[in-house]
Each structure stands twice: as C-alpha cells, then as structure tokens.
C-alpha cells in the first residue's frame, strides 16, 4: 500500500531534521514578523480608520520610505527562506498514518492553512512589485487578510511546536548533522544575494547592484521613476485655462501663473511607492497650508484632493489634518528645479512627508476642505 514517498525511509537526506528546521524557522519568523508589522503600518497610513487619521504623524519625513522599504526587503528575503524551510520539513507531508488523532489532524490542517497563506502572500506581494495582477481579486484587501491568516497560523504553529523548538534551540543540545552548516550557509548566501540585488530600489548606496528589482532609481528623467505615466492614466488632458479649485468656507480658483506668484517653498521629500522603490527629490511649490488658510479652513481641517484623471484608483486622496498643516506638504509645481513633467503630474501635484506614494496625487484639479 505505501509506495513512493509514503514508504519508510523514502527520504534519505540527513537535513530533514528539527535543528535545521528550527534555525531556518528563526530566520523566516523574523522576516515574516518584520514584513507583517511594516505591512500593517502601510495599511494604516494608506487607509486609516477615522479615529486614527487625525493622529497620524507626518514625521519622520522618511518614515514610510523606511517601513515600506523594509516590508519589501523582508518579503523578498522570506522567499528563499520559505523554500528552504519547506524543503527541510516536506517529508512530513507523507507521514503515515496521515492523522494519528483528531488533534494531530487539526494540527496538520493548521499547517496547510499557514503554508498556503504564506505562499500566496509572498507570490501576490512579489507580483505587486512588478505591477502584475494576474488574478481576479483585489490585491490590497487580499494581501491584508492573508497576512492575518498567516500570522495567526504562525502563532498556533509556534505554540504547538514550542517544546520541539526549545529542545533544538541551542546547537549544543542537538546532535551534529553532516552538511547542515553548508546548507544553512547556502541559504544565507541566497538570502544575501536576493536582498543585495533588489534593495537598491530603495537604499541609495546599493543602487549600483540593483540588478533584479523592477525599478532602478537614477534612471529616467531626473532619476525619478514614474509609477503611472500620463498616457497610462488615460493621457490626462490639462485644460489650457487650468485653474485649481480650492473649496472651503471662502472658496476660490487660481491659475498657474498666480500660483507661481504666491510664496514658494522647497522640501526634500521622497516618493515612496508601496511597491518598494523610493527616491528623494527636491520639490518646489506652494504650501497646502497657505492655500487652506486663504480658503478660510478652520485649524485641524483635513483635505480631499481630486485629480484631473478621469478614472483610476488613485484619482482621489485625503490629507488628514497633520499632513494638511505640515509646512513641508506642498502643492508642487517643480521638481529638482524644473517644471513638473506631464508624467510627474503637471501642472501641480501633492507631495507630503511620511506618506505612501499612492497618496501623492498627480495632476491636481481640486482641493477641498473637509468638515
Ligand atoms: N492622479 C494620480 N496620482 C498618482 C498616481 C496615479 O495613478 N494617479 N500614482 C501614484 C503612485 S502609486 C505613486 S508611487 C506616485 C509616483 O509618482 P511619480 O510617478 O511622479 O514618481 O504617484 C502617485 N500619484
Ligand atoms: Mo505607488
């Protein structure tokens, strides 16, 4: 009856053993924890619950750049780690009998959910960095809920395995196995290689070896990548008589020439895309707070920004009060000393500190004070 992988002794490698699994589990656990916490941060900044929005910090300026950079770095590192961990333990898949008790069956079911959630999470995340969505479900919500499933499954898995993990935590208390050190070194080298060749999309001093990441900051006009070009956004047409609408207690409209005559400010701020790339640039333009003051906005007002773009998921964004009031939050007209190009949001775009790139709305048509 028991053929192939179900036979006793079907797996001959000495590395399918607990100490190897524990060491890899520690590395993978650390990567998944960083990935989970930074992912939560990203969701909270991008789509905050109403009670949190007025409390979001607009500083440090590079906060989101760092958390989201770490999110994608730890997620990519988790891919070879997951592969190595699954290889170490996969003979257990063919355990016989498949379930020794109800509890054992439940434990195996839990591991199935954990493995499925982690694999899907890593796949969808990686494909998102390539902006490729070959599935019918919405990426963001799916990625969010799978993360809870994965972290819940991981906690249960750790609780069940705690005694085994404790027994193999220290090298001294486990028998030496030939090849273990070499295997772990190879896995570490693989993690190092994928990290070094992709982290340059956000870590400036690794740019030179940024060989595998989908974006290469430093290339393209002004060294600033474009997430969605004007053409991709349905060739945003800017009316020749474009005038920004500022809606509030004292609404007004203002054209480009007049905007340029208002006090101009500069801010060095990054675009930090959720997909993992980020670049800092020197933005110039008008403070959003100045426009709000002119529109008679009360202190602590939040703002809704609407793009000229006809449709698209990033057409509208909100600036919660701390961002709207921050002197670094600009309605940018220039980047690195030059007028904005069509792809970077001509005639005007929002740029604010410590924010996901998706909220840095381009081709602004209207700014509205929210009650
Ligand atoms: N109106 C509008 N604004 C937008 C987008 C968009 O698709 N439409 N993309 C956003 C995303 S996802 C990012 S990362 C930044 C990128 O800015 P850049 O293209 O100038 O680098 O713009 C944001 N602003
Ligand atoms: Mo983005």
């Amino acid at each position: 009856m028991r053929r192939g992988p179900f036979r006793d002794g079907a797996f001959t490698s000495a590395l399918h053993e607990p100490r190897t699994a524990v060491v890899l589990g520690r590395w993978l656990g650390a990567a998944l924890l960083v990935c989970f916490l930074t992912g939560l941060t990203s969701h909270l900044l991008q789509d905050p619950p109403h009670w949190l929005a007025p409390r979001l910090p607009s500083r440090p300026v590079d906060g989101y750049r760092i958390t989201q950079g770490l999110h994608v770095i730890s997620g990519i590192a988790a891919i070879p780690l997951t592969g190595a961990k699954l290889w170490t333990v996969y003979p257990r898949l063919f355990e016989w009998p498949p379930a020794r008790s109800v509890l054992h069956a439940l434990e195996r079911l839990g591991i199935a959910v954990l493995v499925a959630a982690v694999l899907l999470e890593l796949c969808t995340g990686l494909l998102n960095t390539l902006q490729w969505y070959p599935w019918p479900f919405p990426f963001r919500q799916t990625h969010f809920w799978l993360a809870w499933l994965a972290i819940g499954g991981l906690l249960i898995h750790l609780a069940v395995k705690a005694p085994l993990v404790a027994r193999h935590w220290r090298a001294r208390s486990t028998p030496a196995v030939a090849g273990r050190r070499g295997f772990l070194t190879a896995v570490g080298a693989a993690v190092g290689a994928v990290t070094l060749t992709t982290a340059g999309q956000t870590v400036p001093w690794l740019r030179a070896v940024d060989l595998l990441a989908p974006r290469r900051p430093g290339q393209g006009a002004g060294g600033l990548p474009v997430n969605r070009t004007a053409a991709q956004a349905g060739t945003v047409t800017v009316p020749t008589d474009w005038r920004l609408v500022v809606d509030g207690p004292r609404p007004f409209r203002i054209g480009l020439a007049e905007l340029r005559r208002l006090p101009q400010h500069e801010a060095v701020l990054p675009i930090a895309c959720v997909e993992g790339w980020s670049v800092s640039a020197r933005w110039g333009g008008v403070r959003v707070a100045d426009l709000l003051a002119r529109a008679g906005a009360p202190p602590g007002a939040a703002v809704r920004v609407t793009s000229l773009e006809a449709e698209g998921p990033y057409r509208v964004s909100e600036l919660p009060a701390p961002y709207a009031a921050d002197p670094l939050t600009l309605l940018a007209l220039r980047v690195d000393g030059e007028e904005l190009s069509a792809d970077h949001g001509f005639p005007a775009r929002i740029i604010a500190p410590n924010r996901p790139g998706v909220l840095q709305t381009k081709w602004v048509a209207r700014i509205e004070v929210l009650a």
Side-chain angles (χ1 to χ4, degrees):
M1 282 300 282
R2 293 179 54 191
R3 289 157 192 262
F6 293 99
R7 277 178 299 119
D8 273 330
F11 298 92
T12 51
S13 169
L15 294 172
H16 302 300
E17 53 93 33
R19 167 73 187 165
T20 307
V22 166
V23 174
L24 290 172
R26 283 199 299 237
W27 297 349
L28 180 57
L32 292 182
L33 186 67
V34 170
C35 214
F36 178 71
L37 294 177
T38 50
L40 273 191
T41 306
S42 184
H43 275 269
L44 289 176
L45 284 179
Q46 203 182 136
D47 197 9
H50 67 90
W51 56 267
L52 184 64
R55 294 177 178 83
L56 285 180
S58 59
R59 305 295 172 91
V61 165
D62 277 324
Y64 185 76
R65 179 179 200 182
I66 291 166
T67 61
Q68 193 61 11
L70 276 176
H71 183 70
V72 174
I73 287 171
S74 56
I76 289 176
I79 295 172
L81 289 174
T82 301
K85 180 75 156 66
L86 288 180
W87 177 82
T88 305
V89 298
Y90 91 100
R92 304 295 294 269
L93 197 56
F94 307 101
E95 244 175 304
W96 205 266
R100 291 189 304 271
S101 64
V102 175
L103 212 60
H104 183 227
L106 281 176
E107 191 214 325
R108 297 198 70 189
L109 193 69
I111 291 181
V113 171
L114 169 61
V115 171
V118 168
L119 288 179
L120 262 175
E121 197 67 341
L122 296 178
C123 282
T124 52
L126 182 69
L127 294 187
N128 184 59
T129 69
L130 304 166
Q131 289 193 310
W132 185 29
Y133 307 100
W135 47 69
F137 47 80
F139 166 75
R140 206 156 61 85
Q141 289 85 339
T142 310
H143 201 65
F144 179 76
W145 289 111
L146 274 174
W148 285 102
L149 213 55
I151 215 78
L154 184 59
L155 290 178
I156 294 173
H157 178 58
L158 279 176
V160 171
K161 297 288 187 195
L164 186 79
V165 173
R167 244 180 292 137
H168 296 89
W169 191 258
R170 286 170 191 286
R172 265 182 289 133
S173 51
T174 48
V177 169
R180 187 199 281 141
R181 176 165 298 219
F183 177 59
L184 291 176
T185 307
V187 174
V191 171
V194 294
T195 304
L196 284 175
T197 50
T198 52
Q201 62 180 328
T202 184
V203 181
W205 47 269
L206 283 176
R207 241 169 232 180
V209 288
D210 178 19
L211 302 171
L212 295 181
R215 308 291 170 130
R216 291 189 76 178
Q219 294 198 333
L224 199 61
V226 171
N227 182 281
R228 213 157 112 89
T229 61
Q232 283 169 331
T235 310
V236 180
T237 39
V238 181
T240 43
D241 59 345
W242 176 85
R243 290 171 86 202
L244 173 75
V245 178
V246 185
D247 230 342
R250 290 197 303 272
F252 64 96
R253 307 180 106 228
I254 182 168
L256 196 51
E258 216 184 326
L259 276 171
R260 288 184 183 130
R261 283 196 298 271
L262 293 180
Q264 304 291 301
H265 296 273
E266 284 203 331
V268 176
L269 294 174
I271 296 260
C273 182
V274 296
E275 289 144 26
W277 60 268
S278 64
V279 196
S280 210
R282 188 167 48 87
W283 304 90
V286 178
R287 279 186 180 150
V288 167
D290 291 352
L291 295 171
L292 296 184
R294 177 157 161 184
V303 169
R304 180 184 295 131
V305 181
T306 308
S307 172
L308 287 166
E309 202 182 347
E311 51 192 272
Y314 313 134
R315 204 174 74 86
V316 179
S317 69
E318 276 182 24
L319 284 163
Y323 297 93
D326 195 304
L328 292 183
T329 299
L330 302 181
L331 179 76
L333 310 175
R334 288 179 308 282
V335 60
D336 292 327
E338 284 179 33
E339 182 166 86
L340 287 181
S341 64
D343 287 344
H344 285 305
F346 178 85
R349 80 173 301 163
I350 291 294
I351 188 82
N354 194 21
R355 290 201 104 197
V358 287
L359 302 177
Q360 314 280 31
T361 308
K362 304 197 273 196
W363 314 296
V364 174
R366 180 187 171 99
I367 289 180
E368 216 175 319
V369 176
L370 297 175

